Amino acid sequence: MNVNDSVTKQKFDNLYCCKESILDGLKRTTDVMLGGKQVVVCGYGEVGKGCCAALKGLGAVIYVTEVDPICALQACMDGLRVITLSEVIRHTDMVITCTGNKNVITREHFDRMRSGCVVCNMGHSNTEIDLASLRTTELKWHRVRPHVDHIIWPDGKQVVLLAEGRLLNLSCSTVPSFVLSVTAVTQALALIELYNAPAGRYKQGVYLLPKKMDEYVAGLHLPIFDAHLTDLTDEQAQYLGISKHGPFKPNYYRY
């Protein structure tokens, strides 16, 4: 059961959690003031959107890199400048990777960065930053504090690398218990569904969490906010062609 792509996991763990943990991780490691800083966020998926929203709220000047035209258009409509990393790398104060890809930041980018530029990763793993190209005899690594390294070039330029390219929010900050609750409940329900499913419902393969369960997970967490859902009338449910009790959206719906 693919829990990672369920709606509740994507929105809460990727969007809302990263929106808070990016700031927590940056402050704990660097104590840098973010207002007015030129920040490049590589990738404008759920994680990138959360990071940009948080940084924008503190007054950072944000640039976005994207390969997907739909995500790029979303960034433009959110008031962000979409640009390639090579175009802006000389002037940026901070680069944050959120793509899930590999070698998003290469040695060529590092060589063109200004001294003091902060580099960190919020994506899936440490493959986003080409660390192997930095493990050379000409560059010196200096551990300033836990999870903070200065990489020093022969001319004295220093680039600040956080958590050696690992996930910043897992290495340098905490994850709110509310988000862990959403994720854990989603995983638990997926296991219960697989265990209780009648023979033949699931053939060998990978399945998304049923929409009804996604809605159930969300509903379990609404009482924390004293939120009250509106009930559909029979006439309204019939008009929409859905059950009064859900699921309320088709599987192709994008939240």
Side-chain angles (χ1 to χ4, degrees):
M1 191 72 76
N2 177 4
V3 172
N4 192 62
D5 289 327
S6 64
V7 177
T8 43
K9 166 64 170 66
Q10 283 281 321
K11 291 296 179 184
F12 289 90
D13 217 357
N14 295 11
L15 176 63
Y16 298 117
C17 179
C18 290
K19 192 177 183 178
E20 298 193 19
S21 60
I22 178 63
L23 300 181
D24 187 21
L26 288 173
K27 292 293 186 181
R28 287 184 190 225
T29 52
T30 67
D31 294 316
V32 68
M33 191 166 189
L34 293 164
K37 289 291 189 295
Q38 308 251 352
V39 181
V40 179
V41 176
C42 301
Y44 202 65
E46 299 288 10
V47 173
K49 288 180 175 71
C51 291
C52 286
L55 294 164
K56 190 175 181 180
L58 291 183
V61 180
I62 303 171
Y63 301 90
V64 169
T65 70
E66 247 307 336
V67 299
D68 186 328
I70 296 175
C71 292
L73 185 59
Q74 286 180 310
C76 291
M77 296 301 291
D78 288 338
L80 307 174
R81 177 80 187 279
V82 178
I83 199 167
T84 65
L85 187 56
S86 297
E87 289 178 275
V88 75
I89 194 65
R90 287 189 183 277
H91 311 291
T92 188
D93 299 302
M94 186 178 296
V95 185
I96 303 169
T97 55
C98 311
T99 69
N101 206 339
K102 64 179 292 187
N103 295 341
V104 177
I105 304 178
T106 64
R107 175 60 187 270
E108 180 186 356
H109 294 128
F110 276 105
D111 286 339
R112 297 174 59 198
M113 288 177 185
R114 63 163 60 164
S115 186
C117 183
V118 177
V119 179
C120 65
N121 171 41
M122 287 286 288
H124 287 305
S125 64
N126 62 353
T127 59
E128 304 218 16
I129 301 170
D130 182 13
L131 292 179
S133 66
L134 302 176
R135 303 284 188 184
T136 63
T137 55
E138 61 182 310
L139 301 181
K140 295 180 180 178
W141 287 60
H142 174 59
R143 177 60 53 88
V144 181
R145 63 170 79 164
H147 305 300
V148 182
D149 289 294
H150 281 179
I151 304 173
I152 306 169
W153 267 249
D155 63 358
K157 182 182 85 171
Q158 298 184 40
V159 170
V160 183
L161 178 65
L162 304 183
E164 295 185 80
R166 298 184 301 274
L167 276 78
L168 181 73
N169 58 339
L170 297 185
S171 302
C172 307
S173 69
T174 58
V175 178
S177 58
F178 178 77
V179 171
L180 290 175
S181 173
V182 171
T183 304
V185 169
T186 306
Q187 293 169 341
L189 284 176
L191 291 172
I192 292 170
E193 167 66 13
L194 287 174
Y195 183 80
N196 290 334
R201 176 180 291 178
Y202 298 108
K203 297 181 174 61
Q204 189 175 31
V206 180
Y207 295 84
L208 285 174
L209 195 72
K211 179 75 69 175
K212 182 73 175 173
M213 288 195 178
D214 248 334
E215 293 177 352
Y216 180 64
V217 172
L220 288 175
H221 291 82
L222 286 176
I224 297 172
F225 305 101
D226 194 26
H228 303 271
L229 288 173
T230 300
D231 294 323
L232 289 175
T233 65
D234 292 333
E235 184 182 5
Q236 288 173 326
Q238 186 177 3
Y239 178 76
L240 293 174
I242 61 175
S243 166
K244 287 176 62 175
H245 308 291
F248 298 96
K249 299 288 190 297
N251 286 330
Y252 58 79
Y253 184 82
R254 294 174 175 84
Y255 290 81

